[in-house]
């Protein structure tokens, strides 16, 4: 039995249970980091997303057993891709008529030349085909590219898990039925397809920036994935203002990552973060991109989101933050791209620009928004405003309501502490 530096075979010291646990952790890590790469590469062989997903799932299951025997490979993605593609070839050979029955994902039209680092952008553009509704495009890509569970995708969309499961299933069937090609569109069609792709990357970032559930506030793998994809898009479409705005938004927001939790892993609010530890290089890159993105009229939503992040990053202290400018930017954002989440964020900004009473009034205007009915940040925002007004009993109730709809353990601990303090 052999193993490399990352793993250990069964002859190594330690109990078998500990060895199996180490392999399980390695497989879980490979799932977080490599799922999209392995699936995209396998789809090039299967020409069918459902079959590709089945083969990739089988490869990960095999890794749980094989890696105990041989050790964790130095390149898990290569091992998993080989296993998945071998499984795909085996299935295709067994069913001689399968290829004739399946609509082709890869057509015979020569693909335009693009400098694409890996297959994942092909998968994004396939999932983001205009034949699909925008929400289906984003949901399907999050599920297939990033390996998020249906429940995690549902939380990102603020819908129920059964609703999201049905949406993903319908999207897959439509891709198969329409024979959507598995390739990057040509230069003429590329710009109109970018908005859906930007939405995908933004939701990947959002899901990683504050994980919907789990023990950690941040899923660094998803944040890094989103940043990498945004940079790929930037190289592919260097003149697109939306791409520049999205990359700026990610850089400027993620620049504060190191200060969002303390040494014990507890949540640190923006006003209490050590600004000296923010990533100044990322902020400088983001600011340059914001200036470029804001030249477009009207500005894209990502340019406006990046501009808001830039105001926070540029403020020397919490007290010196230009909250009125932030409210103004949210007003512009809501004019061009209205959304309940943006309206909620505007209400919070109003509470700091004009006072907690004004913030509560803005928050009350959103009480009938169905998308916010089970959104924990509504209760958290209300609790903060009420606490600042000295209405402790109401603030406690608001924080308790927020706890009901919050699954991330770091955020739950923060909210529970607020309840205890009140």
């Amino acid at each position: 039995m052999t193993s490399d530096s990352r793993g250990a075979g069964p002859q190594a010291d330690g109990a078998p249970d500990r060895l199996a646990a180490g392999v399980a952790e390695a497989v879980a890590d490979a799932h977080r980091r490599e799922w999209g790469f392995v699936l995209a590469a396998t789809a090039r062989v299967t020409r069918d997303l459902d079959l590709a997903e089945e083969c990739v799932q089988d490869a990960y299951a095999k890794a749980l057993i094989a890696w105990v025997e041989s050790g964790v490979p130095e390149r898990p993605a290569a091992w998993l891709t080989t296993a998945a593609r071998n499984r795909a070839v085996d299935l295709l050979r067994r069913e001689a008529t399968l290829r004739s029955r399946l609509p082709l994902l890869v057509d015979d039209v020569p693909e335009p030349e693009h400098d694409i680092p890996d297959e994942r952008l092909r998968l994004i553009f396939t999932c983001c085909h205009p034949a699909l509704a925008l929400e289906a495009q984003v949901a399907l890509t999050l599920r297939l590219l990033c390996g998020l569970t249906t429940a995690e995708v549902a939380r990102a969309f603020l819908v129920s898990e059964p609703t999201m499961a049905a949406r993903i299933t319908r999207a897959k069937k439509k891709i198969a039925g329409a024979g959507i090609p598995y390739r990057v569109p040509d230069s003429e069609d590329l710009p109109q397809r970018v908005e859906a792709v930007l939405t995908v990357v933004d939701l990947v970032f959002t899901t990683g920036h504050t994980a919907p559930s789990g023990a950690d506030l941040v899923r660094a793998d998803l944040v890094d994935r989103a940043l990498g994809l945004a940079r790929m898009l930037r190289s592919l479409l260097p003149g697109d203002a939306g791409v520049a705005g999205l990359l700026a938004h990610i850089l400027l927001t993620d620049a504060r990552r190191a200060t969002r939790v303390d040494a014990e892993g507890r949540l640190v609010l923006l006003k209490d973060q050590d600004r000296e530890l923010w990533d100044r290089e990322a902020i400088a890159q983001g600011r340059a991109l914001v200036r470029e993105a804001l030249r477009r009229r009207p500005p894209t939503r990502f340019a406006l989101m990046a501009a808001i992040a830039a105001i926070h990053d540029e403020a020397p202290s919490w007290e010196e933050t230009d909250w009125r400018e932030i409210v103004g930017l949210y007003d512009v954002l809501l004019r061009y791209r209205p959304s309940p989440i943006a309206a909620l964020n505007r209400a919070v900004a109003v509470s700091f620009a004009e006072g907690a009473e004004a913030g509560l009034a803005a928050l009350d205007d959103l009480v009938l928004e169905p998308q916010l009915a089970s959104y924990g940040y509504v209760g958290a925002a209300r609790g903060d405003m009420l606490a600042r007004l000295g209405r402790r009993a109401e603030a406690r109730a608001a924080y308790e309501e927020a706890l009901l709809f919050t699954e991330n353990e770091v955020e739950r601990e923060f909210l529970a502490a607020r309840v205890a303090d009140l």
Side-chain angles (χ1 to χ4, degrees):
M1 304 290 180
T2 60
S3 62
D4 63 19
S5 58
R6 290 193 56 192
Q11 295 178 359
D13 293 337
D17 287 347
R18 189 159 59 247
L19 176 61
V23 167
E25 182 179 349
V27 172
D29 182 67
H31 183 276
R32 288 190 298 271
R33 297 178 181 277
E34 311 292 358
W35 173 273
F37 177 87
V38 177
L39 181 64
T42 306
R44 292 283 288 177
V45 174
T46 64
R47 305 186 177 197
D48 175 81
L49 292 175
D50 273 329
L51 182 59
E53 193 170 12
E54 176 187 334
C55 294
V56 173
Q57 288 170 343
D58 181 74
Y60 276 92
K62 286 181 178 177
L64 286 169
I65 299 172
W67 293 0
V68 171
E69 295 295 322
S70 62
V72 179
E74 290 186 4
R75 300 173 58 207
W79 191 101
L80 291 161
T81 300
T82 299
R85 295 177 77 156
N86 286 344
R87 174 63 173 165
V89 170
D90 183 55
L91 289 175
L92 291 169
R93 284 174 177 168
R94 286 186 195 177
E95 301 182 40
T97 60
L98 183 60
R99 283 188 182 272
S100 63
R101 295 203 309 267
L102 286 174
L104 294 184
L105 270 175
V106 183
D107 57 14
D108 294 326
V109 179
E111 185 171 341
E113 292 296 324
H114 293 299
D115 182 17
I116 301 173
D118 58 51
E119 296 283 349
R120 287 176 292 184
L121 275 181
R122 302 178 196 273
L123 182 56
I124 289 180
F125 277 109
T126 299
C127 295
C128 297
H129 195 276
L132 303 174
L134 179 58
E135 287 187 346
Q137 295 172 23
V138 180
L140 187 60
T141 306
L142 284 173
R143 175 73 185 96
L144 296 179
L145 183 79
C146 298
L148 299 187
T149 66
T150 302
E152 287 175 320
V153 180
R155 282 193 289 273
F157 275 95
L158 306 178
V159 300
S160 70
E161 186 173 348
T163 297
M164 182 53 62
R167 186 177 297 172
I168 290 173
T169 298
R170 286 196 301 269
K172 285 182 178 180
K173 289 181 178 178
K174 191 158 190 177
I175 284 178
I180 291 173
Y182 183 62
R183 62 183 178 88
V184 175
D186 59 34
S187 57
E188 292 183 359
D189 296 332
L190 198 56
Q192 65 186 9
R193 298 274 298 278
V194 169
E195 177 64 22
V197 175
L198 296 181
T199 301
V200 169
V201 178
D202 178 52
L203 269 178
V204 173
F205 171 70
T206 301
T207 304
H209 178 69
T210 302
S213 61
D216 299 318
L217 181 68
V218 177
R219 282 190 60 178
D221 58 317
L222 289 183
V223 173
D224 293 340
R225 181 77 53 80
L227 180 58
L229 289 171
R231 290 192 187 279
M232 285 184 207
L233 289 170
R234 173 70 173 169
S235 67
L236 192 61
L237 294 170
D240 189 277
V243 172
L246 174 63
L247 181 54
H249 165 60
I250 293 175
L251 287 167
L252 292 165
T253 305
D254 188 50
R256 314 176 205 125
R257 189 198 305 190
T259 62
R260 294 181 62 216
V261 295
D262 63 17
E264 285 73 40
R266 293 173 299 201
L267 181 69
V268 180
L269 294 177
L270 182 61
K271 67 184 182 67
D272 299 319
Q273 292 175 16
D274 184 351
R275 295 172 184 240
E276 294 297 321
L277 299 179
W278 288 356
D279 187 340
R280 292 297 160 185
E281 182 178 351
I283 291 172
Q285 293 177 19
R287 290 177 62 187
L289 287 165
V290 168
R291 288 192 291 271
E292 176 184 332
L294 288 176
R295 295 192 188 110
R296 170 176 161 174
R297 290 293 182 271
T300 69
R301 60 180 170 128
F302 295 113
L304 293 167
M305 291 162 61
I308 292 168
I311 292 176
H312 284 298
D313 289 353
E314 293 167 359
S317 66
W318 171 262
E319 292 74 19
E320 296 172 89
T321 303
D322 191 343
W323 288 105
R324 293 189 180 278
E325 179 68 15
I326 290 175
V327 171
L329 286 169
Y330 274 120
D331 287 337
V332 177
L333 178 60
L334 288 166
R335 186 185 314 152
Y336 292 113
R337 191 66 177 256
S339 79
I341 304 301
L344 170 62
N345 291 335
R346 178 189 179 277
V348 172
V350 167
S351 77
F352 292 113
E354 303 174 22
E357 286 283 8
L360 281 174
L363 205 57
D364 288 339
D365 291 340
L366 306 176
V367 69
L368 297 180
E369 286 286 353
Q371 283 185 289
L372 299 179
S374 59
Y375 195 51
Y377 294 121
V378 175
R382 187 179 296 279
D384 175 71
M385 295 176 198
L386 289 167
R388 284 154 54 195
L389 292 169
R391 294 158 62 177
R392 296 173 62 87
E394 293 173 86
R396 178 187 173 96
Y399 279 124
E400 289 175 336
E401 177 184 330
L403 265 169
L404 293 175
F405 302 114
T406 301
E407 296 187 40
N408 182 278
E409 293 177 20
V410 176
E411 292 184 315
R412 286 188 60 81
E413 182 182 352
F414 172 83
L415 293 170
R418 281 289 186 268
V419 171
D421 290 342
L422 292 167

